[in-house]
Amino acid sequence: MPRDVPVGNGQILVNFDLGYHVTGVFFPHVGQENQTEGHVCRFGVWRDGMMAWFSEGGWEDLVVGYEPDTLVTQVSARHQGLGLVIHFTDAVDFNENVLVRTIRFEPLPGREAGEVRVFFHFDAHMGEQDVGQSAYYDPKTRAIIHFKEDRYCLLGGMDDRREGLFEYAIGIKEVGGLEGTWRDAEDGHLEGNPVAQGSVDTTSSLVTTSSGTVHFWLTLGKSYQEVTMLDSLIRDKTPEVLTQRTRDYWHLWVMPQQVYPGDLPDSIMSLVRRSLLTIRTQIDRDGAILAATDWDIVRFGRDTYDYVWPRDGALVADAMDRWGLWSSIHRFYSFCSRVLQPGGYFLHKYNPDGTPGSTWHARIMGGHEVLPIQEDETALVLQMLWRHFERHRQVEIVAPMYRHFIIAAADFLVSYRDPVTHLPLPSHDLWEERWGVLTFTAATVWAGLMAGAHFARAFGEVGQAERYEQAAREVREAVTVHLFDRETNRFARMAEWDLENQRIAGLDLTPDASLFGIIDTGMFEPDDPKLVSTYEQLEKLLWVKTDVGGMARYTNDPYQRVPADPETVPGNPWFICTLWLCEWRIARAKSLADLAAAKELLVWVKKHALPSGIMAEQINPFTHEPLSVSPLTWSHAAFVATVHKYLERHKALAKAGVAVAATS
């Protein structure tokens, strides 16, 4: 089930699914490690002999979202049998490793007041392990402590009387058919076993009335002292104060500068702010920008998206930078500087702590050694770092990276080319499905080389700059000569590569939305006839012809595919691909009226995001339900970057219109 309403502070991240169950608790890095390993942590309410788990039926009118412009949740549901309406407010403190949950009840009309018991279940996998776990009730804090080595979690709470946990159960699960301690709660009472080891889980309860409020919290640290100190902090400051200060912090954070209003509706600008906040939950304090933290994808391949792809990170960094939110961007580029390989390139992906991530990129093909890389990742980081430097000119931040990162990467882009065609040598594509000489990759290499040249000139190395500029000219010419197919009058997705003879073996002409990405590199002007012909064909061939609409990645895309006629549904609609089409419409607009077609696609994005504002990677072409991981950081970044480009274009066209009117 896709994730909805993530809340975090850059060191811990808590994910809720669409049914509002906690399914991810990441610490000590965003994306590393998940202390629940994706298992569902249940929540239940007991009243008058009836237990109602949120994971079961009976709850109606579930509304899952956030308070406006914050990372504080706003969730409600109704249960006719219990005679209750329930309201949740959840917040990860902006500064401390604490999740505070406030639960408020209202009785349904006609129901008498009475006692209500609230149950919280925690399916622990501390350190992402299911053996050697420990949990115990701590009488000093009247809370439950989970730990495994140097990973500690405290589960505490208070009711209207400001007391600790009411009851608790600590036991074994996933052994001998045992489902977990949550089963002990179904009679409204917990047995109070004080300690367990092995594969453990816990359930705790608080007591209130049908019009009362309870607070539950979770603290994370690397020692008993850390988590109990945070517990004391919550009790001293109160959950209400911590929630309010977090609410105020994110309000302040998400409105960093005046924004040109353009003609976009408030709903689009609200989604921009929500997307910026969502992106922030996926950024680690040490600079890692995570692709996604949705653990449901594990069941498809026993792996996750909890990695830093330098490409994704660079595009996210640029999107944040456009809106003036550059404080975490410096740390991302420092992260990249640390993990760059000695040869001047990035590997496939990285863990949040900077160690290499898992990979399916081989180092040998057909008996020949190859680099296990996606070259666009190296090129795009250079391009976006130059954009960042152009905007802010913070020399002292960039200077330490200049020699061993910027020059090393630019030198690699120069050298990793075919001496005959001058095209980049083969690498893996951005979709991570094929290997060859990609048109998209070649365009990013051009942009990376130009960025290297700009840096070299800025730092007084004219010879280096001219070398990079010459290589960029050669790449641009080679793309025109070797990757544009005159018969179809469009760019090829890629040139296939003959490993034995080390040369181009033919063109793959599959219509692929990645070709839209060329426009952001600046290698060709938006009105270049080759681009216009290519993009007009792509829009016709890749638009999903259902009521949902949107752009597919490429024809007959099999990934997470919903069965359908390929003429109608070439693939599932992707937010990124649809926004690339929007970017092209923006770039080609010659008047404010021309921007209407681009605005339509921004409205499309708003329509197909979840009610909370969360965007998945792709959606069902018939039901528009989220598919694959959610949220996908790149989807949100593409949206905020595209809106910024729209507003820039709108401002320029409006200004030009005023100038024309003034002189006529």
Side-chain angles (χ1 to χ4, degrees), residues 100-120:
V100 175
R101 309 194 70 187
T102 298
I103 301 95
R104 180 173 58 86
F105 294 97
E106 293 178 17
L108 289 176
R111 291 296 296 264
E112 296 180 0
E115 183 181 270
V116 174
R117 298 185 183 184
V118 189
F119 291 85
F120 303 91

Side-chain angles (χ1 to χ4, degrees), residues 216-229:
F216 177 79
W217 57 81
L218 175 155
T219 75
L220 289 160
K222 295 185 177 181
S223 68
Y224 172 82
Q225 288 73 22
E226 278 189 48
V227 295
T228 55
M229 180 187 67

Side-chain angles (χ1 to χ4, degrees), residues 92-169:
V92 167
D93 185 76
F94 78 92
N95 192 54
E96 305 290 350
N97 293 330
V98 167
L99 168 69
V100 175
R101 309 194 70 187
T102 298
I103 301 95
R104 180 173 58 86
F105 294 97
E106 293 178 17
L108 289 176
R111 291 296 296 264
E112 296 180 0
E115 183 181 270
V116 174
R117 298 185 183 184
V118 189
F119 291 85
F120 303 91
H121 166 247
F122 188 65
D123 195 345
H125 290 71
M126 304 300 291
E128 292 185 358
Q129 299 183 43
D130 58 3
V131 298
Q133 303 276 313
S134 296
Y136 63 90
Y137 179 74
D138 180 32
K140 291 183 179 179
T141 57
R142 295 193 62 184
I144 292 171
I145 305 288
H146 282 265
F147 75 93
K148 167 74 176 178
E149 297 170 354
D150 64 347
R151 299 292 184 262
Y152 278 76
C153 174
L154 179 146
L155 304 169
M158 61 174 61
D159 55 25
D160 299 320
R161 299 181 298 274
R162 301 296 188 196
E163 296 179 358
L165 297 178
F166 174 61
E167 291 182 334
Y168 58 88

Side-chain angles (χ1 to χ4, degrees), residues 362-415:
R363 294 173 182 264
I364 187 168
M365 292 184 184
H368 296 268
E369 184 177 355
V370 296
L371 278 181
I373 65 169
Q374 299 165 34
E375 192 180 6
D376 65 286
E377 300 203 87
T378 303
L380 279 170
V381 173
L382 262 188
Q383 180 192 3
M384 300 311 169
L385 179 57
W386 172 251
R387 283 186 182 175
H388 177 64
F389 183 74
E390 266 196 309
R391 291 182 184 118
H392 307 292
R393 294 285 171 174
Q394 292 167 317
V395 178
E396 292 186 2
I397 291 173
V398 172
M401 307 178 192
Y402 176 70
R403 185 65 56 195
H404 77 276
F405 174 29
I406 295 169
I407 294 300
D411 283 347
F412 170 75
L413 297 180
V414 171
S415 64

Side-chain angles (χ1 to χ4, degrees), residues 42-268:
R42 291 169 172 82
F43 169 83
V45 179
W46 184 93
R47 185 185 187 191
D48 297 336
M50 174 185 286
M51 169 59 76
W53 295 106
F54 251 57
S55 55
E56 299 175 353
W59 292 98
E60 301 173 312
D61 302 330
L62 176 64
V63 178
V64 178
Y66 295 94
E67 295 180 7
D69 301 333
T70 73
L71 284 175
V72 177
T73 70
Q74 189 173 57
V75 179
S76 62
R78 176 176 57 86
H79 197 287
Q80 194 67 38
L82 295 176
L84 293 171
V85 175
I86 189 170
H87 301 273
F88 291 90
T89 302
D90 292 87
V92 167
D93 185 76
F94 78 92
N95 192 54
E96 305 290 350
N97 293 330
V98 167
L99 168 69
V100 175
R101 309 194 70 187
T102 298
I103 301 95
R104 180 173 58 86
F105 294 97
E106 293 178 17
L108 289 176
R111 291 296 296 264
E112 296 180 0
E115 183 181 270
V116 174
R117 298 185 183 184
V118 189
F119 291 85
F120 303 91
H121 166 247
F122 188 65
D123 195 345
H125 290 71
M126 304 300 291
E128 292 185 358
Q129 299 183 43
D130 58 3
V131 298
Q133 303 276 313
S134 296
Y136 63 90
Y137 179 74
D138 180 32
K140 291 183 179 179
T141 57
R142 295 193 62 184
I144 292 171
I145 305 288
H146 282 265
F147 75 93
K148 167 74 176 178
E149 297 170 354
D150 64 347
R151 299 292 184 262
Y152 278 76
C153 174
L154 179 146
L155 304 169
M158 61 174 61
D159 55 25
D160 299 320
R161 299 181 298 274
R162 301 296 188 196
E163 296 179 358
L165 297 178
F166 174 61
E167 291 182 334
Y168 58 88
I170 301 172
I172 306 296
K173 41 84 175 173
E174 300 174 358
V175 177
L178 296 174
E179 296 180 80
T181 55
W182 60 277
R183 285 294 190 189
D184 185 28
E186 295 190 327
D187 61 355
H189 175 64
L190 296 172
E191 296 301 326
N193 181 51
V195 64
Q197 70 173 47
S199 179
V200 303
D201 74 335
T202 61
T203 302
S204 53
S205 68
L206 296 169
V207 177
T208 186
T209 67
S210 54
S211 59
T213 300
V214 298
H215 304 278
F216 177 79
W217 57 81
L218 175 155
T219 75
L220 289 160
K222 295 185 177 181
S223 68
Y224 172 82
Q225 288 73 22
E226 278 189 48
V227 295
T228 55
M229 180 187 67
L230 291 171
D231 177 74
S232 297
L233 174 74
I234 298 167
R235 294 177 186 278
D236 291 344
K237 288 189 175 293
T238 76
E240 294 91 342
V241 168
L242 291 183
T243 300
Q244 185 59 47
R245 78 177 193 176
T246 298
R247 182 182 290 118
D248 293 342
Y249 176 85
W250 292 116
H251 270 300
L252 185 66
W253 181 89
V254 81
M255 298 181 181
Q257 60 183 19
Q258 288 293 109
V259 176
Y260 172 76
D263 64 345
L264 294 177
D266 290 342
S267 60
I268 296 297

